[in-house]
Amino acid sequence: MFNALIVRQDADSGLGAAAIEQISLDQLPEGEVTVAVEYSTVNYKDGLCLSPKGGGLVRRYPHVPGIDFAGTVEASDDARYKPGDKVILTGWRVGEAHWGGYSQKARVKADWLVPLPAGLDPRQAMAVGTAGLTAMLSIMALEDHGLTPGRGPVLVTGAAGGVGSVATAILAHLGYEVAAVTGRPETEEYLRGLGASRIVPREDLNETVKRPLESETWAGCIDAVGGEMLARVLGQMKYGASVAAVGLAGGAALPATVIPFLLRGVNLLGIDSVLQPYGNRTRAWARLATDLPLDRLDEMVKPAVLSDLPQLGADILKGQVKGRVVVDVNA
């Protein structure tokens, strides 16, 4: 028997509620690899899955959330993994449609795993998690489209969040000038500690303007906000620059024109981490192991245990979680 955070649906109200329960191996879903989970984390999707209505993501109850985990292979029917191997899982709708990492053991498909890269331990891997993987995929996409240090400042919106925090730290470490956007003035010292050289108040970019183009300001952008802010930023990009779109905290609508694309050759790059091919995942994780300064990674981590998750899930939906939460599922 082992502990798991189980979300059960009330028969009368139809609402879900989470509690720690003891379960057995035969209750886990099917899969080729059983992993002894060491650490997980908290992402926006986890907050949705922990919410009373499941955020539209949970299809069946009872359910174990947790879209990320890292740990040690305990049993495997796939030749690629053997007991004792250290592995990471992010994406593939684990924690949404398939039981996830808020459990001391998990069973998943072998195709969903990647080996833990040299240079990272399981705790550090979950300090990175989906948020950090998304940040690295974004940076790789911007670099593939011509971004290099020295071309000008790189804007990071939602900078105090998980994706933004890791992106800020990596970009600064690689020699980029980072302009960090935040609506929380109390995070300025934190963001400067991660390497941001400039703090941009959210209200400076929240207001829509009628002009489709403004002064060329940003050499690149990683945007976790979307909505009106993304529309505004597109008109401020330098000629040929790119925006990596990773989130929609400010809304899914994009009240923009095609003018930045036609007159300045701006690129809008969509970044998905859920269904990324294996090769892209391993390339990104290898880059994370070398390009993310681990001292700054430690600065953005808040430790947690399974019993903290219901409250943390609610907090992240309100935008009240700073940096990265690392959940020790065995504590």
Side-chain angles (χ1 to χ4, degrees), residues 176-194:
Y176 290 95
E177 178 188 351
V178 182
V181 182
T182 181
R184 295 181 279 173
E186 68 275 11
T187 63
E188 179 173 344
E189 183 179 351
Y190 164 76
L191 291 169
R192 291 196 182 278
L194 295 181

Side-chain angles (χ1 to χ4, degrees), residues 97-156:
H98 189 93
W99 281 17
Y102 292 168
S103 171
Q104 292 177 309
K105 296 185 190 296
R107 186 181 291 133
V108 296
K109 292 183 178 181
D111 288 343
W112 297 344
L113 298 168
V114 296
L116 180 74
L120 290 179
D121 61 34
R123 182 180 182 277
Q124 291 167 330
M126 284 299 96
V128 174
T130 283
L133 177 64
T134 302
M136 191 73 248
L137 290 168
S138 301
I139 293 168
M140 288 163 47
L142 293 176
E143 290 175 340
D144 290 345
H145 284 78
L147 181 66
T148 57
R151 287 199 62 191
V154 178
L155 190 72
V156 179

Side-chain angles (χ1 to χ4, degrees), residues 46-207:
D46 296 314
L48 293 173
C49 291
L50 286 165
S51 67
K53 295 184 179 181
L57 300 178
V58 180
R59 295 288 183 257
R60 293 187 301 275
Y61 292 92
H63 180 67
V64 177
I67 69 170
D68 297 343
F69 65 76
T72 304
V73 172
E74 197 169 77
S76 176
D77 296 327
D78 188 286
R80 288 171 288 180
Y81 298 102
K82 63 183 186 301
D85 287 348
K86 298 289 187 179
V87 292
I88 304 168
L89 185 141
T90 63
W92 301 109
R93 299 212 64 208
V94 171
E96 303 172 47
H98 189 93
W99 281 17
Y102 292 168
S103 171
Q104 292 177 309
K105 296 185 190 296
R107 186 181 291 133
V108 296
K109 292 183 178 181
D111 288 343
W112 297 344
L113 298 168
V114 296
L116 180 74
L120 290 179
D121 61 34
R123 182 180 182 277
Q124 291 167 330
M126 284 299 96
V128 174
T130 283
L133 177 64
T134 302
M136 191 73 248
L137 290 168
S138 301
I139 293 168
M140 288 163 47
L142 293 176
E143 290 175 340
D144 290 345
H145 284 78
L147 181 66
T148 57
R151 287 199 62 191
V154 178
L155 190 72
V156 179
T157 71
V163 176
S165 293
V166 179
T168 298
I170 295 173
L171 287 166
H173 181 69
L174 293 175
Y176 290 95
E177 178 188 351
V178 182
V181 182
T182 181
R184 295 181 279 173
E186 68 275 11
T187 63
E188 179 173 344
E189 183 179 351
Y190 164 76
L191 291 169
R192 291 196 182 278
L194 295 181
S197 55
R198 176 178 169 187
I199 305 299
V200 180
R202 182 167 58 197
E203 55 267 24
D204 286 3
L205 293 172
N206 256 353
E207 183 183 355

Side-chain angles (χ1 to χ4, degrees), residues 12 67 84 108 136 149 151 236 268 293 312 318:
D12 296 325
I67 69 170
V108 296
M136 191 73 248
R151 287 199 62 191
Q236 298 179 352
L268 181 57
L312 285 168
K318 298 174 185 175

